[in-house]
Amino acid sequence: MKPLLIASLVASLALPAAALAQNAGQIASARRGSSCPGCNLFQADFSGLELKGRNFTGARLRQADLSLAVMNRTSFARTDLRDINAYGGVFSSANFAGADLTHASFVGAYLQGANLAGARLDGTNFSGAELDHVRGLSQAQLNRACGDAATRIPPGLRIPAC
């Protein structure tokens, strides 16, 4: 009886973890170019892909790899983008309104025309990124992020050094 009880307890504890795991089918569909609002794309690899004009609103892309991806006009509104790697990515006119970009890396990324209104930027690294024509970016947001001398930001704003 004891082994059955222990096995049952272990199985019930594993359920919440499984519910948060990535969804391979949704990731494959998104990698092929489908929009995927609200999808679980945890740790997905989109590196080097061109996915312009897609909708990932409200999706979970935590720890995803968007390095060198081209995602112009893509909506990431209210999306979980914590801990992503977007090194050298191109996000022209992308919508990050209300997104959580905590500890994201946008080193060398191109974000001209992107909407960052209400985005959480705690620990976000914008070293070498081009942000000088983004919309909705405030000094309060930048105070929680970091960059370097090569980071381009809108006039009148400043970014702490990493």
Side-chain angles (χ1 to χ4, degrees), residues 28 39 45 51 56 64 83 85 89 93-94 112 115 130 138 152 161:
C39 288
D45 182 1
L51 298 171
F56 295 114
D83 306 304
N85 178 14
S93 301
Q112 301 296 16
N115 180 1
E130 294 187 35
S138 71
R152 292 174 40 190

Side-chain angles (χ1 to χ4, degrees), residues 26-69:
Q26 291 175 341
I27 291 171
S29 179
R31 283 183 50 83
R32 287 190 304 269
S34 295
S35 287
C36 207
C39 288
N40 189 352
L41 306 173
F42 177 67
Q43 295 180 332
D45 182 1
F46 294 109
S47 59
L49 295 181
E50 188 170 318
L51 298 171
K52 298 177 182 175
R54 300 305 185 267
N55 182 4
F56 295 114
T57 299
R60 180 175 188 243
L61 279 107
R62 185 171 186 183
Q63 297 177 0
D65 187 356
L66 308 176
S67 58
L68 303 173

Side-chain angles (χ1 to χ4, degrees), residues 83-143:
D83 306 304
I84 64 159
N85 178 14
Y87 167 81
V90 180
F91 302 94
S92 297
S93 301
N95 183 7
F96 294 98
D100 189 347
L101 299 167
T102 299
H103 299 292
S105 176
F106 282 94
V107 174
Y110 186 83
L111 293 128
Q112 301 296 16
N115 180 1
L116 292 169
R120 185 172 182 169
L121 304 179
D122 297 1
T124 304
N125 187 341
F126 288 114
S127 294
E130 294 187 35
L131 300 157
D132 48 341
H133 294 291
V134 297
R135 298 176 288 124
L137 184 62
S138 71
Q139 185 60 56
Q141 287 171 294
L142 282 178
N143 288 343

Side-chain angles (χ1 to χ4, degrees), residues 1-19:
M1 180 73 175
K2 244 184 191 180
L4 182 59
L5 180 62
I6 292 171
S8 177
L9 179 62
V10 169
S12 69
L13 292 174
L15 285 176

